Amino acid sequence: MRKTASSLTTVLALCGTAGLFLTPSVSSAAASTPSVSSASSASLASSALAESPTTGWRQTSFTYSMQKPWNLSLSQRYTYSDSIHRMWVNDTDEPMSQGSGTDPRTEMRWQQEYTGGQHMWDADVYIPTGTNSASFMQILRVKHPAGTPATDIMFNAYSANGGTVKAYDGTVLRTGVYNTWFNLKVEHNASTGTIRTYINDTLVLTRADRGPATRHFKNGVYHHGTGRAEARFRNIRYWTR
């Protein structure tokens, strides 16, 4: 008897220690003193540059289910070892549900859905050589008005220039990503409709979302090309404020 993807769904949970990260303040007296040394100025500038995009956010627990080719067991397309989530597919794999016209995927479908507020996806990402034309992170508009897009933003990996990360609109965000870890943060203010993307804590893209919807995060590998595609993730975190 064949089991459908839904009957094989695995629900897991990641919980981080909740904490509110606050920016340290500088006294007005110190700020107004005209004889601040160049070394002190450099130190203050360095601190400002080093401030994390998560400052002022609260780390929040999240849950997810796994989506994978409907006719394969999860272990055939996913492993979790040494705190690393590894997901892969082949272009010949079946879609996530029998009869679906979508491309093959192995993805973590986050269960936390939202319509407003501020939400941030945060993880280290590793794209192996050969992965080409595959989406590895997206904000899916699971409920959206007819005629509007199914996603607010997608991040895709291509083989050019030693591995290239592009946004859904073709904007190049980083090259030379093959076989190296990089950190990706995707901040969505659903109340103002603004999405900011950071790579290694540097702002690389600001875009508007696609209008009102119910959304959730997804990460993994959703393959639109040929051959084999893979993505790995570690230190996955969910931030809200």
Side-chain angles (χ1 to χ4, degrees), residues 57 114-119 188-194 215 240-241:
W57 293 68
Y114 63 92
T115 57
Q118 298 182 64
H119 308 261
H188 186 195
N189 187 328
S191 298
T192 64
T194 304
R215 294 102 163 171
T240 58
R241 70 175 180 182

Side-chain angles (χ1 to χ4, degrees), residues 33-241:
T33 303
S35 59
V36 176
S37 68
S38 59
S40 297
S41 298
S43 177
L44 289 171
S46 176
S47 296
L49 290 173
E51 182 177 292
S52 170
T54 60
T55 297
W57 293 68
R58 185 178 299 278
Q59 190 174 336
T60 307
S61 64
F62 67 97
T63 57
Y64 60 93
S65 59
M66 294 299 301
Q67 297 177 339
K68 46 79 180 171
W70 70 267
N71 61 334
L72 298 177
S73 65
L74 184 59
S75 62
Q76 290 178 281
R77 292 293 181 268
Y78 168 85
T79 63
Y80 180 68
S81 179
D82 298 324
S83 301
I84 296 172
H85 299 266
R86 179 171 167 250
M87 290 163 257
W88 68 95
V89 289
N90 298 314
D91 64 332
T92 55
D93 284 346
E94 291 289 317
M96 62 177 284
S97 59
Q98 192 171 11
S100 170
T102 59
D103 290 329
R105 75 185 76 204
T106 303
E107 293 181 298
M108 298 165 61
R109 191 275 197 209
W110 288 39
Q111 299 298 321
Q112 284 62 45
E113 298 181 354
Y114 63 92
T115 57
Q118 298 182 64
H119 308 261
M120 185 189 298
W121 183 95
D122 173 13
D124 298 329
V125 182
Y126 183 101
I127 307 294
T129 297
T131 298
N132 184 46
S133 192
S135 303
F136 62 89
M137 192 276 165
Q138 60 180 297
I139 300 177
L140 184 72
R141 295 159 56 84
V142 66
K143 298 175 185 176
H144 57 94
T148 63
T151 60
D152 279 312
I153 198 165
M154 297 179 78
F155 300 92
N156 307 312
Y158 297 92
S159 59
N161 300 311
T164 296
V165 171
K166 294 183 180 181
Y168 65 100
D169 60 1
T171 302
V172 174
L173 304 181
R174 190 173 180 85
T175 60
V177 301
Y178 275 166
N179 307 321
T180 184
W181 289 99
F182 62 93
N183 179 263
L184 177 69
K185 291 181 174 70
V186 183
E187 169 196 328
H188 186 195
N189 187 328
S191 298
T192 64
T194 304
I195 300 172
R196 294 184 177 87
T197 302
Y198 302 82
I199 292 183
N200 296 335
D201 289 345
T202 297
L203 181 64
V204 295
L205 186 73
T206 301
R207 288 287 184 271
D209 64 26
R210 268 88 176 268
T214 300
R215 294 102 163 171
H216 63 77
F217 295 134
K218 297 187 78 175
N219 62 276
V221 61
Y222 181 30
H223 193 23
H224 316 295
T226 59
R228 187 179 188 278
E230 180 179 333
R232 304 173 193 173
F233 304 87
R234 68 183 184 190
N235 300 322
I236 305 174
R237 299 182 179 93
Y238 178 37
W239 304 87
T240 58
R241 70 175 180 182

Side-chain angles (χ1 to χ4, degrees), residues 15-42:
C15 297
T17 302
L20 183 61
F21 296 84
L22 300 176
T23 306
S25 60
V26 179
S27 69
S28 57
S32 61
T33 303
S35 59
V36 176
S37 68
S38 59
S40 297
S41 298

